[in-house]
Amino acid sequence: MQNDKSKFKDEFKRRIYRFALEIIKFIDELLKEKTSETIGKQLLRSAISIGANVAEANAASSKKDYTNFFNYALKSANETKFWLGLLRDSGKADKTMANNLLKETTEIANILASSILTLKGKR
């Protein structure tokens, strides 16, 4: 039987994976213009990097290494928010979808930031 902490970690990993799938759908629906494609590529890189870094953290060799991967994931989440906002505000993406993804990105970033503080013993 899993404890609450283990269940939360598993659900967080699933949540990040589902988020990456939603980002892929979002990018596939962008207008087929040079700027949309360029920004979409940047968004894809930063968004999937969140999940990749969380996955790498699970194979970390130390607490410091684990924390560093969470820091990288948080930086990627912040970058993702930038690209989503840019696409939304430039009118190149559906505003409702972009806002929903921004909300999810913010929640993921908050979880990562909180986890980092806990790992560093500041919470």
Side-chain angles (χ1 to χ4, degrees):
M1 188 160 132
Q2 287 184 318
N3 63 26
D4 288 342
K5 187 176 181 181
S6 180
K7 284 181 188 176
F8 179 82
K9 282 182 176 182
D10 288 344
E11 177 52 35
F12 186 57
K13 285 185 246 176
R14 283 192 295 275
R15 183 176 182 176
I16 292 171
Y17 190 82
R18 285 190 307 266
F19 171 73
L21 292 174
E22 289 300 314
I23 288 288
I24 291 168
K25 286 181 198 173
F26 176 77
I27 291 168
D28 285 346
E29 292 181 16
L30 290 176
L31 298 173
K32 302 300 180 212
E33 300 173 338
K34 187 171 182 127
T35 54
S36 298
E37 289 179 4
T38 301
I39 297 169
K41 287 177 185 178
Q42 291 296 114
L43 172 60
L44 182 62
R45 284 185 192 101
S46 65
I48 62 175
S49 178
I50 299 167
N53 279 297
V54 169
E56 283 291 323
N58 292 315
S61 58
S62 67
K63 184 177 177 181
K64 182 180 178 189
D65 201 24
Y66 187 91
T67 304
N68 282 337
F69 280 114
F70 267 55
N71 274 313
Y72 299 140
L74 178 57
K75 288 178 181 191
S76 292
N78 290 329
E79 182 181 346
T80 298
K81 288 190 283 186
F82 175 80
W83 298 123
L84 283 167
L86 193 60
L87 285 166
R88 179 199 61 201
D89 296 341
S90 67
K92 300 208 177 281
D94 178 87
K95 287 191 186 309
T96 302
M97 286 180 67
N99 284 332
N100 289 339
L101 289 168
L102 273 164
K103 182 177 182 272
E104 180 65 2
T105 309
T106 299
E107 290 177 15
I108 289 169
N110 289 343
I111 292 168
L112 290 165
S114 178
S115 298
I116 291 165
L117 289 175
T118 300
L119 287 163
K120 291 182 174 180
K122 296 182 179 178
R123 249 179 115 200

